[in-house]
Amino acid sequence: MMATRAEQLATQFAAINDEISALISGCTDEQWRQPCADEVRPVGVVAHHTAIVQQAFTGMVATLVAGETYSPQTSMETIDQLNAQHAREHAEVGKEETLGILCASEATIAQQIRSLDDAQLDRTAGVFGGNELTVAQVIAMVVIGHAGSHLASIRATVAG
């Protein structure tokens, strides 16, 4: 039996999240504090940022699952300021806290994605970055894309 599109997206999200969890679980204290290859923030802060944003994404995905639209109104300048503030406030964040948030958000988001059928995935989700996107595009580009970009940065740092 062929997996549904929703199942494929949920599996892709879970795989990225699982790899982030595995990488940070295996980090030494030195690696945890090392600045990521593509960023100025340490691995631990980037991992925690990813977890916190995924936690926020559970609300966005719930809105989309409910058939509502969602168009973020936060500017990139504000997002950059929030990310810098997060980095300052969580400079000493621990692995266990980060792993707990990643695990909880993965279960929620994967279940939410799996609940969608093709018609729901093809529905307009809202306007992101000036572009009207479908629910499937938001999941792929925003939810999975965000985690994937930080995974690449963490992987490059820890493997390097």
Side-chain angles (χ1 to χ4, degrees), residues 13 48-64 70 82 101-102 104-106 108-109 112 142-143 146:
F13 171 75
H48 189 264
H49 158 82
T50 304
I52 292 297
V53 170
Q54 284 182 191
Q55 196 173 43
F57 282 167
T58 63
M60 178 185 68
V61 176
T63 298
L64 298 175
Y70 179 91
L82 292 170
I101 298 167
L102 279 170
S105 61
E106 176 183 338
T108 301
I109 292 173
Q112 290 170 324
V142 178
V143 178
H146 179 262

Side-chain angles (χ1 to χ4, degrees), residues 19 23 31 34-39 43 148-160:
E19 187 173 348
L23 282 170
Q31 288 170 321
Q34 184 176 351
C36 273
D38 301 343
E39 309 181 44
V43 167
S149 68
H150 290 305
L151 167 60
S153 183
I154 292 168
R155 186 190 300 134
T157 305
V158 173

Side-chain angles (χ1 to χ4, degrees), residues 92-146:
E92 300 300 321
V93 70
K95 279 195 255 184
E96 294 309 313
E97 175 188 344
T98 302
L99 287 166
I101 298 167
L102 279 170
C103 181
S105 61
E106 176 183 338
T108 301
I109 292 173
Q111 183 277 327
Q112 290 170 324
I113 294 170
R114 285 184 178 99
S115 76
L116 296 164
D117 62 27
D118 284 347
Q120 291 170 306
L121 287 170
D122 292 335
R123 186 180 58 70
T124 298
V127 177
F128 289 73
N131 299 304
E132 189 172 274
L133 300 179
T134 66
V135 172
Q137 289 171 317
V138 169
I139 291 168
M141 295 165 53
V142 178
V143 178
I144 296 170
H146 179 262

